[in-house]
Structures are given as C-alpha cells and as structure tokens.
Amino acid sequence: MCPNMHFGIVAEIGAEFDANGIIESIDVLKSAHLLMRSLIAEEQGSSRIYYEEQSELEIPVTIKKADDNWQADYEAVSLAGWNVQKEALLKVFAYPSESGTRVLFITHHLLCDGRGLLQLVQEFADHYANGVKPHLVDEKLMESLDDLPSGSDLGFISKVLIKDANKKWRKEGHKISYEEYLKFERDHDSKQDIKREIKNIDEEELDTLLAMCKENGVSLNDYLVAKMMIDAGTDKVVIASDIRNEIKNYKEGALGNYATAFGVVVKKKSSKIMELAKAVDHEVRRIMSKPDKEMLVLSCYFNMDPELLDAIAISTLGGFESKAGKFVGSKMFGYEKRDGHCITNLGRIESNVIREGIFIPPASPANRKAWGVLTINKKMRICSIHSM
C-alpha cells in the first residue's frame, strides 16, 4: 500500500555465537509459521491477492562481523525496496557480540505487526539458546468487518466519503501493476533522509518513571504520548493498539497483523507533563471504549475498494494520476502534509535469554517522527526516527 512499511527488532541474546545454530533456529520458526513460508501472489485477471506457500522459500540470513553496524544493514534493506512476490517477508542479520549474539530481524508488515515480531524474536531466542521449539499454530488473517468487534463499522459521514471515493475510483477505470508500485517505492525510498536515534532508559530511571505514573494514575504509554506532544509541539499523536484480544479469529501465537492505530488529540495546552498525561489517559480510554473509534483505520480498509487502497500512496506521493487516490491519501491518510507523530510501544517483557532489544518502527510517509519503544529486563529503549 505504501513505502517503508517494514520494521525491525535488534536483540542481544545471551548465548554463544553459532552461525549454523542461527540458520537452524530460523528454519524451525519457518516450519512453525505458514506465513514465513509464503509470498504474496496475485490472481490473474483480478485484483485479488493472497499468501501462497512456497515449498523451497529461503529466509535470508546474513552472518556479519562483530563490528558491523546493524543500522547500516537496516538502511540497506530500506533502500533496496521489498518485492513481496519474490522475497521472503523476513530478513535476518546476525553478529557476534560481547554478550554472545546480536540478531537483527527485519519484517514486512504483511508478515506481522510489531508485537508479532517480538514474539518471533522470543521464539528464536528460546530455540537458539535452549532448543525450545515454538508451537504450531493455525494462522488465519482478518478478512472482513465480521472479524472486528461488534459496532466497528464506519459512521455515516465516513462511510459516505469512502463510498464516494470508491465510486470515483471505479469511474476513473485505473489499474496499478505491482511493477509500477515497486518502481515508485524504490524511487521514493531512495530520496528519503531518515535520521535514527536510540535513547536508553535503564532500571533506576525506569523505576522512577513507573512510580511517578502510578502516583498520577496514568500509564507509561500516556506519559510517552504526553512527552512527544511537548517535545514536538503537537496536539495529536497516533498510537498503535494491540487488538489480539478483541479480534474474533485470532489464535494465540499466530502471525499476521493484529494492530490498529488511532489519533490521540489533546487540545489542552500544558507544559506540565503529568497534567497532559492525564488528559491523554482520558482520551485513550474514551476511544478504546468505542469500537467504531478504535477500529476506524481497519474499518476504512475493509470498506475501501482494494485497488483504491493500493493507489493511495502512489497517487499522493508518486506520479500516478488519480483524483480518488489523491483525495484519500491527502485528506484521510496524511500523505500530503507528512507531519504526523506516532508511537508504537511493544510493552515490557522479562527474558532469561534476551538481554535487551530495540524496536525500529516503520518510517511511514505520513509521519514526520515516530518512536518505537521496547522494554526488556527493565531496560527501555526508544528508537526515534525523524523524516527530514
């Protein structure tokens, strides 16, 4: 649908470096997850696309030196583009490190969301360090509005806008080939100037933040949203929300994308971070209590003509001429202004084998700045990306 829809996790694993063991563990993961063995295929003569299992598909594993820069490897993958009809949806880099082994997992969003990738890294580490195999799971994707919670459909005005855009798209009679999209993606990505910074918050500072949040009745995520609002001078931050427990067909351990996103808007002007965090908490609770608000983005996807969905980014950011696509991309998805701010927090885990990790969020063309947050063993790492 749009460029830069890949993301990653780099993790330090407390196990002796073993190149063959790394490759073996990736093969074990591939055996457990159907989507890791699949490419995206297109049905001839129609716009229908689907996941097609490949009996000989290889997950690329690149063995690196200890002093190689994982950020440079991540950047190289970003600049190369990602042909999902020919390339596996996961790419892995591995480096010897002082604590044992460092791995970089980079995935396309068609394989999983951020929490799904964290699950994959945990499954890899458990097998690599201790020989524990992941459980086989029947992976079934969201296919329609029926998979969302009751009351998730669009409101009247939103539905009218999408219906009108669909009608205009069909009247235009356009069709975008995947080759056209790939050329646009490579051209777009080659011109991007994305800065990446890592902020470390270790146990003592994290304990102080958690105590302060508890005292004020807010979550750590509320605090982070408020901090981004103050730092960036914005009253709107988009947050990613895990909806595994709300989706009707989700099975524990399945890959696929089980996340939605919604904008948190706080008009209240305040430089006091906890006062702002309380307002954020109120707004988040309000949105999450209403399925039509929490699931708005997913509902838009299910109501929109699939070919129009594919045309949004290329119509707004590329040279493809579609008034319907540009309308949706500029007015509804923010690709024209490109001034969005976003946080994806994968939460906190404790692990005996993963020492620490960094979540690298996707550099969506709609965002100016994005934070990826991950806390492992009371070590919080915030990866901030800034599109120049």
Side-chain angles (χ1 to χ4, degrees):
M1 186 181 103
C2 73
N4 281 333
M5 288 311 288
H6 59 274
F7 46 91
I9 289 178
V10 58
E12 291 284 348
I13 299 174
E16 183 179 354
F17 187 82
D18 177 3
N20 291 330
I22 291 165
I23 295 169
E24 179 188 348
S25 293
I26 293 298
D27 284 341
V28 168
L29 259 65
K30 188 175 70 171
S31 297
H33 294 290
L34 174 63
L35 295 189
M36 284 183 65
R37 308 190 300 272
S38 299
L39 296 176
I40 304 302
E42 186 174 6
E43 192 175 80
Q44 275 194 330
S46 80
S47 60
R48 179 176 175 265
I49 62 171
Y50 56 95
Y51 293 79
E52 183 176 64
E53 185 177 6
Q54 309 288 318
S55 59
E56 303 297 327
L57 184 65
E58 293 290 333
I59 305 293
V61 179
T62 306
I63 305 300
K64 306 288 289 189
K65 297 177 182 177
D67 58 353
D68 285 340
N69 187 338
W70 67 262
Q71 292 209 44
D73 292 327
Y74 188 91
E75 197 64 30
V77 169
S78 299
L79 291 174
W82 203 314
N83 188 334
V84 297
Q85 294 183 342
K86 296 180 179 179
E87 301 174 66
L89 301 177
L90 177 70
K91 299 177 182 181
V92 178
F93 295 80
Y95 318 74
S97 71
E98 290 181 4
S99 61
T101 303
R102 178 182 297 130
V103 292
L104 169 63
F105 279 43
I106 309 174
T107 183
H108 197 280
H109 77 115
L110 290 171
L111 177 65
C112 58
D113 55 31
R115 288 168 183 83
L117 181 58
L118 178 58
Q119 170 198 306
L120 269 187
V121 173
Q122 289 177 280
E123 289 178 350
F124 168 85
D126 286 341
H127 184 270
Y128 179 63
N130 298 318
V132 178
K133 291 185 177 181
H135 296 293
L136 294 172
V137 60
D138 181 21
E139 291 170 342
K140 188 175 186 301
L141 303 172
M142 289 186 286
E143 296 178 349
S144 71
L145 280 167
D146 292 336
D147 294 322
L148 301 181
S150 299
S152 295
D153 204 357
L154 295 176
F156 176 75
I157 294 176
S158 296
K159 189 167 281 189
V160 168
L161 287 173
I162 294 295
K163 186 177 180 180
D164 185 59
N166 284 338
K167 184 177 179 180
K168 288 178 178 176
W169 169 256
R170 291 164 190 158
K171 189 174 181 180
E172 287 176 346
H174 288 319
K175 185 174 177 62
I176 300 172
S177 69
Y178 189 55
E179 289 72 22
E180 285 180 280
Y181 169 77
L182 281 178
K183 182 179 183 304
F184 153 68
E185 182 183 45
R186 292 191 185 102
D187 289 346
H188 178 273
D189 290 350
S190 68
K191 297 170 186 173
Q192 299 310 293
D193 183 10
I194 297 172
K195 305 298 182 185
R196 192 178 298 110
E197 296 178 355
I198 311 298
K199 180 176 176 58
N200 300 324
I201 299 175
D202 288 329
E203 186 171 349
E204 185 177 351
E205 185 179 356
L206 181 60
D207 284 343
T208 300
L209 282 176
L210 289 171
M212 191 165 56
C213 289
K214 184 177 181 180
E215 181 182 342
N216 285 274
V218 300
S219 71
L220 186 58
N221 210 56
D222 297 329
Y223 171 87
L224 291 171
V225 172
K227 181 167 176 54
M228 177 177 268
M229 286 179 170
I230 291 171
D231 289 354
T234 181
D235 59 11
K236 179 180 180 179
V237 171
V238 174
I239 63 174
S241 179
D242 182 15
I243 54 175
R244 282 165 172 74
N245 294 331
E246 302 175 65
I247 298 301
K248 297 172 185 176
N249 66 353
Y250 174 71
K251 294 186 177 180
E252 187 174 356
L255 297 183
N257 215 301
Y258 294 98
T260 189
F262 54 81
V264 179
V265 181
V266 176
K267 296 294 184 181
K268 182 177 185 178
K269 302 295 181 183
S270 176
S271 59
K272 295 179 180 179
I273 194 164
M274 282 302 169
E275 186 177 324
L276 191 57
K278 289 177 182 179
V280 169
D281 173 71
H282 179 270
E283 181 65 9
V284 170
R285 289 177 186 273
R286 185 188 69 82
I287 292 170
M288 294 187 71
S289 70
K290 300 178 179 179
D292 61 325
K293 302 295 183 185
E294 184 184 12
M295 305 292 170
L296 178 62
V297 171
L298 295 179
S299 186
C300 278
Y301 291 168
F302 286 131
N303 277 279
M304 198 174 296
D305 187 307
E307 291 189 351
L308 172 56
L309 191 62
D310 290 338
I312 291 171
I314 193 171
S315 301
T316 313
L317 303 171
F320 190 83
E321 292 292 334
S322 168
K323 290 182 179 179
K326 189 168 185 178
F327 170 78
V328 176
S330 59
K331 303 302 181 185
M332 302 178 71
F333 284 76
Y335 290 155
E336 193 167 59
K337 289 185 177 180
R338 306 186 69 187
D339 61 355
H341 294 78
C342 176
I343 293 179
T344 302
N345 184 355
L346 301 189
R348 290 177 278 162
I349 67 165
E350 298 290 325
S351 174
N352 294 324
V353 290
I354 304 176
R355 301 282 175 80
E356 61 181 280
I358 299 167
F359 170 57
I360 310 145
S364 167
N367 293 329
R368 178 184 301 170
K369 181 168 285 189
W371 288 359
V373 186
L374 176 58
T375 306
I376 300 177
N377 299 330
K378 296 186 178 179
K379 299 175 182 177
M380 176 185 279
R381 302 293 180 253
I382 300 176
C383 178
S384 173
I385 59 173
H386 185 199
S387 299
M388 307 296 287

